[in-house]
Amino acid sequence: MNESHDDTLEALLRRQFDGPVADNGFSERVMQHLPSRRPRRTAWPLWLGVMLGAVTCGLCLANVPLLHIGWRDWLAGDLSTSAIGMLLAMVAMSLLALGWSLAESEDR
């Protein structure tokens, strides 16, 4: 549906809304019978996976000449194509990690 239909339906619903329906305490009784939240599991498997992934990534990139040239040029203050490519890859990976962590975060 488009917004014009949504607005029309919302206006009709609001016009005929008499207020909340009395449930005689039903909602409160249901909430009392629900189990409490489960405790959070330990986070060590996650951190172990992150560390193993970082070490594996580092080992795979250790012999890539583009990385070595980019580091050397960046430390020398020369913004070569290799250095810019390396910095863009670092920014992209950081933004990917940020987006992933925001997507996985829980509202508490």
Side-chain angles (χ1 to χ4, degrees), residues 8 10 18 27 39 57 69 71 74 78 93 99 101-102:
T8 306
E10 186 174 345
D18 295 330
S27 301
C57 184
I69 294 169
W71 275 112
W74 184 49
D78 182 24
M93 286 187 282
S101 63
L102 288 175

Side-chain angles (χ1 to χ4, degrees), residues 27-107:
S27 301
E28 292 177 19
R29 288 192 307 271
V30 169
M31 292 303 289
Q32 290 173 356
H33 285 80
L34 290 176
S36 61
R37 285 188 172 207
R38 295 181 190 170
R40 280 189 77 118
R41 292 180 276 177
T42 58
W44 70 266
L46 173 68
W47 291 110
L48 179 65
V50 168
M51 293 305 295
L52 287 174
V55 168
T56 304
C57 184
L59 290 173
C60 290
L61 292 176
N63 295 326
V64 176
L66 185 65
L67 184 65
H68 293 292
I69 294 169
W71 275 112
R72 184 193 66 211
D73 291 348
W74 184 49
L75 292 174
D78 182 24
L79 286 179
S80 65
T81 306
S82 300
I84 292 172
M86 182 192 64
L87 291 173
L88 286 175
M90 288 170 41
V91 167
M93 286 187 282
S94 298
L95 289 175
L96 179 64
L98 173 67
W100 185 13
S101 63
L102 288 175
E104 292 293 325
S105 67
E106 294 180 0
D107 294 336

